[in-house]
Each structure stands twice: as structure tokens, then as C-alpha cells.
Amino acid sequence: MKKILVALSIFLVFSCNSSAQKKKAEKTFEVTKTKAEWKDQLTATEFYVLREAGTERAFSSKLNSNKKTGTYVCKACETPLFKSEHKFDSGTGWPSFDREIEGNVDFSTDYDLGYARTEEHCGTCGGHLGHVFNDGPKSTTGMRHCINGVSLTFVPAE
């Protein structure tokens, strides 16, 4: 009886950890291109971050210290993602914002580091932007959208 219970327990553990649970839901985005088309449009670093969910080196983006007024748009499709008035210096080495432009950013959960993180994507083309954490300014939203500068283009206000 004990052997049957052990075998049943092992079976249940493995059956509850199916590959179907690990798959991310595939969303169809308004702007879609082949891998070759994205590679033609983006630099190698932009492709790595936006299309392969990579991360640029901390403190490598000129946008990290940008204090001008304007809008940060997706490098791949020019969708407006963040406003300059919501940008703050998080000290992390990546451009940080306390909120996104609502409706233009999609979120998913990634377990790439062995724990759950909220990943951010452009809502129009699906490009990887970065991650959002709840350690931002308490005086506003409390959120820190930690964004790869290489995934953004800054458009100054006119």
C-alpha cells in the first residue's frame, strides 16, 4: 500500500507540472514581421532586446539621463509608451517610469530567473521593453517600469 501511495504521489507531482502550463499565451499584435524583417530594421542590440527579450548593459543608454520634455516611443513601431513627466532616476542604470501610457503596453509573467517577474511589451508590435516592479516612488504610483533604453526612441515635445 505504501508503494502505491508513493507512486501515486510522484505521478501527481509530474502531471501537475505539464508543459502546457509553461507556455506563454500567444497574442497577435497589430504590427508583425518575420525574424528577417526585424533584423533588417533593427540593430543587433535592438533586435536582441526587443525580439529576444534581452537586456542592455546598465548605464549604457543615453536616455537614462535624458531630462527633456517629450514622449518615449517604441523603437520598432513608434507606439507612444511613456511620457517624460513620469520618468524618474531610479539609480538602477535603466530609464525608469512610474507609469505607462495606458493601453499601449502589454504585460506578461516571466520566470527566466527562476521567480515570477512582470515583463512589459509594446502593445502594438510585442517588442520586449523591460520589467515592472513595485519599488517605485511611493508619492506617485509606487511602480518602477525599468525599461531598456535601446527599445525606445525619444520624441521631444514641440
Side-chain angles (χ1 to χ4, degrees), residues 17-73:
N17 194 15
S18 72
S19 61
Q21 291 174 338
K22 294 178 184 175
K23 285 186 180 179
K24 288 184 180 178
E26 292 295 323
K27 176 183 174 180
T28 303
F29 293 96
E30 184 179 327
V31 173
T32 57
K33 297 182 181 186
T34 65
K35 184 176 183 177
E37 289 171 324
W38 284 123
K39 280 191 168 194
D40 284 344
Q41 177 185 332
L42 304 168
T43 68
T45 304
E46 292 166 354
F47 182 84
Y48 169 67
V49 171
L50 283 160
R51 307 317 310 170
E52 297 180 325
T55 302
E56 69 185 355
R57 284 186 350 268
F59 301 100
S60 65
S61 173
K62 293 177 184 175
L63 294 180
N64 193 37
S65 59
N66 182 29
K67 297 188 185 331
K68 296 176 184 171
T69 302
T71 305
Y72 295 84
V73 303

Side-chain angles (χ1 to χ4, degrees), residues 22-27 29 47-55 82 100 104-113 115-123 125-134 143-148 151:
K22 294 178 184 175
K23 285 186 180 179
K24 288 184 180 178
E26 292 295 323
K27 176 183 174 180
F29 293 96
F47 182 84
Y48 169 67
V49 171
L50 283 160
R51 307 317 310 170
E52 297 180 325
T55 302
F82 303 97
E100 78 281 6
N104 292 357
V105 176
D106 283 347
F107 302 91
S108 65
T109 303
D110 104 42
Y111 296 94
D112 293 346
L113 297 179
Y115 59 91
R117 296 185 300 168
T118 303
E119 185 176 357
E120 297 187 68
H121 308 271
C122 172
C125 72
H128 170 76
L129 303 172
H131 294 85
V132 62
F133 304 96
N134 63 0
M143 304 308 289
R144 173 175 55 97
H145 297 258
C146 187
I147 306 300
N148 290 286
S151 67

Side-chain angles (χ1 to χ4, degrees), residues 79-119:
T79 296
L81 302 170
F82 303 97
K83 295 180 181 180
S84 60
E85 62 259 30
H86 301 135
K87 187 172 184 283
F88 68 96
D89 183 4
S90 65
T92 61
W94 290 278
S96 297
F97 305 85
D98 70 356
R99 69 196 79 181
E100 78 281 6
I101 295 176
E102 209 166 311
N104 292 357
V105 176
D106 283 347
F107 302 91
S108 65
T109 303
D110 104 42
Y111 296 94
D112 293 346
L113 297 179
Y115 59 91
R117 296 185 300 168
T118 303
E119 185 176 357

